[in-house]
Amino acid sequence: MMYSLLALAVILGSVFLVLANLRLVAHDTFQVLRDTARNASRSGQLLPNMAFAALWLLIFALCQV
């Protein structure tokens, strides 16, 4: 019971920290995705990387069904 309460407190604390800084998290995520896409496009790896990402999204989606 004690471990469950501790785990719940850690999860709730993490959720609170993310929600409190949601704007910053969203901005940083967008910036990283933009820079990664730009670098992949310049190096000619954009399509293979997108195909790989789509494969993993498909795997995760099928695991939820």
Side-chain angles (χ1 to χ4, degrees):
M1 180 75 171
M2 183 68 166
Y3 291 120
S4 298
L5 291 176
L6 181 61
L8 186 60
V10 168
I11 290 172
L12 290 176
S14 298
V15 168
F16 174 73
L17 288 174
V18 169
L19 291 178
N21 295 313
L22 191 58
R23 186 176 187 189
L24 183 60
V25 169
H27 181 266
D28 288 345
T29 302
F30 176 74
Q31 186 177 4
V32 166
L33 289 174
R34 183 189 64 211
D35 293 343
T36 302
R38 183 183 306 139
N39 291 338
S41 178
R42 287 180 184 165
S43 67
Q45 293 295 316
L46 184 60
L47 288 177
N49 286 346
M50 287 178 61
F52 186 69
L55 173 67
W56 276 106
L57 288 175
L58 179 64
I59 291 171
F60 287 129
L62 290 175
C63 287
Q64 300 300 320
V65 174

